[in-house]
Amino acid sequence: MKRNGMCPLCYLKQLFTPKSRITSIDVEQDYDNGVTAPPMGWSSWNTFKNHIDQEMILETAKAMRDKGLIDAGYRYLNLDDCWHDSQRTAEGELQGDRVTFSMGIAELVKQANAMGLKVGAYSSNGVYTCEDLPASLYHEQKDALTLARWGIEFFKYDFCHNVAISSYAPLVYAIDVSEIGTGKVLQSITCDRAVVRGTAKLMPTKKVACKRYISGMDKAKGEAIFDNVYVKEGGEYILTLRIVKKGSDYDKFLRARINGKSYYFDIPPQKVWNTVARFSTQVTLQEGVNVIELTNPIGTRADSAMLQYYKMGKALQDAAEQVAIESGEPVKPITFSVCEWGRNDPHNWASKTGNMWRTTPDIMSMWWWIKRIYEHNVTLHRYASVGHYNDPDMLEVGNGKLTREQNKSHFALWCMMNAPLMLGNDVRKITDDVLSIVTNKALIAINQDELGRQAKRIIKGGVDVLAKPLAGGKVAVCFFNKQGFKASKKVDWSKISSDEYIATTWEGKTLATDVWTGESLTLGQLQKIKLDACESKVYVVG
């Protein structure tokens, strides 16, 4: 019950700390890889689950081209789980399934690119994917480079088999700074020379020469600062932690911050044949004096998830840039989809780690479930921005037993909420009616609007009223009948325009265009909206 010198009562208190609150991950800038609109495309999972192969994928690509979906904006062809082999290559790289994707993913990408499509791939922020295939946790740099070299331009990163980062720090008694390749230790600095803050303390021990070690750098509440690390020349060096093996039967984690850059130590449980151990990583030091700050930044499970997704997002950016240098071609950004199912409130942090983030569990082609997903996602409007989108999961339009009005409302709501538009049906068999819904130019324009703002629900009830600011001072307004019977809604246009999120007046905006029919009406003609069961009506005002 006692870890790293923590009292039993303190330890129990930590067990009840909120798990979704971000405490200390120091990522200041939003994720920026050049993606500026919600991605549109198709994904294999909703219809085909784990039964995919290269022939079906290429048939889908041809259908997207021939049926006008590419021209409508659906540019991504995304392989969800089960595209890859159950074994990595001898070099430790991911590879396509050697039977169902025998041509290799690079060749598949080449053929899809030739049809005007970008290809997306899938893995998990865990040791295995959701279908128990090799995943990318601990392999971020290698897998990102593999994907980039294949030409992948979208990456969905799931959360199955995740291993959370430990919130406990090792017990450091000294640090060493060494030259690379010479074996020469330039400095060995004991903990007595560190400045400790917060809950970090110098504790006595008889196990090491310095007689003391640093405890209490756990859960983002304590830190140790070595403020006089000197090297004659700036460059690459080896930083070694020397630790005491007290409390060795659990994972530990430590971050070293040096000149604004972070380095991480993943420390496994240790056997106690010896009393001390060492762990090293390569770091960049500047000429002269350097300051090394040590702490464990993981205060909650959300911190763990954020840091892991941040590592993969950074790896994707670095890989895209490296491949551009290797090929002499422009950088092909990889749209990064954070998919941890809303477990750790990603709307609070995922704009720092990726382009889009799942806000809910998986979607299903059942109307009650689609409405439940909508009810959660619609409340998160203030977290969306250009290049950063709440993701209520893929579209089920054309799947299951959804009625025509349910299909239309589903699509309209996802467009209003600035959601990524990923078709999940079998587009080879798409009906003309479903095709007309998902290629509606006016709704797609609302979704792709350059302001990148998600609609806000202005009025909640049996009929919800949503409003979405658009470029040029226009506003999209959606009336959504959530009920299984006909309904009508009196419209208070002044209440919509006066909302601070909309911040507009209707002066000079006398016409509203119905996005489904193209009909233009005056606001005076729209004082009462009549809706069939499950129907949505959307108007662009201005």
Side-chain angles (χ1 to χ4, degrees), residues 39 58 83 102 105 149 158 167 169-170 203 292 300 312 321 332 403 414 447 535 539:
L58 290 175
W83 62 266
S102 57
I105 303 303
R149 285 176 173 160
D158 222 329
S167 60
M203 304 293 289
I292 298 179
T300 67
M312 177 51 88
E321 292 174 3
K332 294 172 70 173
T403 68
W414 263 234
N447 177 263
E535 184 182 11
Y539 301 91

Side-chain angles (χ1 to χ4, degrees), residues 223-454:
E223 63 179 342
I225 301 170
F226 293 82
D227 57 4
N228 192 23
V229 180
Y230 178 83
V231 292
K232 290 182 179 180
E233 297 181 0
E236 299 301 300
Y237 293 86
I238 298 298
L239 173 65
T240 301
L241 300 181
R242 294 193 174 273
I243 72 169
V244 176
K245 286 188 174 184
K246 182 179 180 181
S248 303
D249 59 344
Y250 50 91
D251 292 332
K252 301 165 205 64
F253 181 76
L254 199 69
R255 179 189 68 198
R257 287 280 291 175
I258 308 173
N259 304 322
K261 186 174 181 180
S262 293
Y263 305 88
Y264 305 103
F265 294 85
D266 292 292
I267 300 174
Q270 299 99 50
K271 299 296 183 182
V272 292
W273 313 125
N274 293 294
T275 57
V276 296
R278 66 181 186 275
F279 296 89
S280 301
T281 193
Q282 185 170 318
V283 301
T284 303
L285 300 179
Q286 65 186 13
E287 178 184 346
V289 175
N290 295 263
V291 177
I292 298 179
E293 303 172 6
L294 302 180
T295 191
N296 183 315
I298 307 301
T300 67
R301 283 295 296 266
D303 287 322
S304 171
M306 178 180 180
L307 182 54
Q308 290 172 334
Y309 278 102
Y310 172 76
K311 285 182 178 180
M312 177 51 88
K314 183 65 166 60
L316 292 170
Q317 289 180 305
D318 291 345
E321 292 174 3
Q322 181 175 335
V323 169
I325 293 171
E326 293 173 354
S327 65
E329 300 290 333
V331 173
K332 294 172 70 173
I334 302 172
T335 299
F336 186 29
S337 172
V338 172
C339 183
E340 58 80 81
W341 323 316
R343 285 276 187 93
N344 296 286
D345 294 337
H347 54 273
N348 287 326
W349 50 266
S351 66
K352 311 292 185 184
T353 69
N355 298 114
M356 50 192 276
W357 49 90
R358 277 278 297 282
T359 58
T360 66
D362 288 1
I363 198 169
M364 297 179 284
S365 58
M366 295 180 284
W367 183 236
W368 68 269
W369 184 246
I370 291 171
K371 287 200 297 179
R372 186 171 179 178
I373 286 177
Y374 154 78
E375 288 287 353
H376 177 67
N377 198 76
V378 76
T379 66
L380 305 176
H381 60 277
R382 64 184 180 278
Y383 299 101
S385 62
V386 174
H388 311 103
Y389 309 105
N390 293 303
D391 177 16
D393 206 3
M394 298 167 282
L395 292 163
E396 292 282 12
V397 179
N399 286 340
K401 298 180 179 180
L402 299 178
T403 68
R404 185 170 193 271
E405 291 304 334
Q406 289 168 352
N407 275 324
K408 289 174 63 180
S409 288
H410 178 17
F411 187 69
L413 293 170
W414 263 234
C415 287
M416 290 292 293
M417 293 189 297
N418 250 43
L421 300 179
M422 294 296 170
L423 302 172
N425 57 331
D426 187 347
V427 298
R428 300 171 304 175
K429 302 175 182 178
I430 193 170
T431 65
D432 290 342
D433 184 55
V434 170
L435 186 64
S436 70
I437 292 171
V438 300
T439 57
N440 182 287
K441 291 182 179 180
L443 278 170
I444 290 173
I446 290 171
N447 177 263
Q448 299 286 296
D449 184 76
E450 64 185 46
L451 288 187
R453 300 182 69 185
Q454 179 175 322

Side-chain angles (χ1 to χ4, degrees), residues 2-287:
K2 187 175 181 181
R3 289 187 171 181
N4 284 8
M6 185 183 294
C7 69
L9 182 61
C10 299
Y11 176 62
L12 286 172
K13 183 178 179 181
Q14 294 290 353
L15 295 180
F16 296 95
T17 299
K19 301 300 187 294
S20 64
R21 174 172 49 85
I22 289 295
T23 60
S24 63
I25 302 299
D26 50 352
V27 181
E28 297 180 359
Q29 301 297 321
D30 278 343
Y31 193 75
D32 183 9
N33 59 353
V35 173
T36 58
M40 297 173 60
W42 173 89
S43 182
S44 60
W45 187 257
N46 284 6
T47 295
F48 298 99
K49 301 293 190 288
N50 57 338
H51 301 293
I52 60 174
D53 57 54
Q54 60 198 19
E55 288 77 17
M56 182 274 291
I57 294 297
L58 290 175
E59 287 173 2
T60 299
K62 292 175 183 176
M64 292 178 71
R65 179 193 62 191
D66 296 344
K67 296 177 184 294
L69 288 166
I70 296 176
D71 291 339
Y74 295 92
R75 299 294 174 84
Y76 289 97
L77 180 72
N78 294 338
L79 312 180
D80 210 286
D81 207 346
C82 296
W83 62 266
H84 39 1
D85 201 90
S86 61
Q87 293 182 328
R88 290 177 176 265
T89 67
E91 294 75 29
E93 296 176 347
L94 293 173
Q95 60 181 335
D97 187 286
R98 287 169 286 182
V99 177
T100 55
F101 288 88
S102 57
M103 70 172 60
I105 303 303
E107 177 59 26
L108 181 73
V109 170
K110 182 179 178 181
Q111 293 190 31
N113 288 169
M115 285 185 263
L117 286 161
K118 303 176 180 182
V119 177
Y122 163 101
S123 187
S124 182
N125 187 4
V127 292
Y128 302 103
T129 71
C130 294
E131 291 296 312
D132 311 314
L133 295 168
S136 299
L137 186 63
Y138 313 129
H139 300 276
E140 291 88 353
Q141 288 77 20
K142 180 182 288 291
D143 289 357
L145 191 55
T146 297
L147 296 168
R149 285 176 173 160
W150 286 341
I152 294 296
E153 296 181 74
F154 182 97
F155 185 58
K156 175 183 174 182
Y157 204 33
D158 222 329
F159 204 54
C160 286
H161 294 287
N162 179 261
V163 179
I165 301 172
S166 174
S167 60
Y168 292 101
L171 306 174
V172 177
Y173 71 87
I175 64 170
D176 295 346
V177 175
S178 308
E179 290 182 341
I180 295 176
T182 68
K184 183 178 180 182
V185 178
L186 300 178
Q187 280 186 287
S188 185
I189 308 173
T190 64
C191 64
D192 296 299
R193 295 167 58 187
V195 177
V196 295
R197 294 177 178 171
T199 58
K201 296 179 180 179
L202 291 173
M203 304 293 289
T205 182
K206 298 179 180 179
K207 295 183 177 182
V208 294
C210 74
K211 305 302 182 185
R212 295 208 287 181
Y213 62 84
I214 304 168
S215 176
M217 293 187 289
D218 308 316
K219 298 181 183 290
K221 294 188 176 183
E223 63 179 342
I225 301 170
F226 293 82
D227 57 4
N228 192 23
V229 180
Y230 178 83
V231 292
K232 290 182 179 180
E233 297 181 0
E236 299 301 300
Y237 293 86
I238 298 298
L239 173 65
T240 301
L241 300 181
R242 294 193 174 273
I243 72 169
V244 176
K245 286 188 174 184
K246 182 179 180 181
S248 303
D249 59 344
Y250 50 91
D251 292 332
K252 301 165 205 64
F253 181 76
L254 199 69
R255 179 189 68 198
R257 287 280 291 175
I258 308 173
N259 304 322
K261 186 174 181 180
S262 293
Y263 305 88
Y264 305 103
F265 294 85
D266 292 292
I267 300 174
Q270 299 99 50
K271 299 296 183 182
V272 292
W273 313 125
N274 293 294
T275 57
V276 296
R278 66 181 186 275
F279 296 89
S280 301
T281 193
Q282 185 170 318
V283 301
T284 303
L285 300 179
Q286 65 186 13
E287 178 184 346

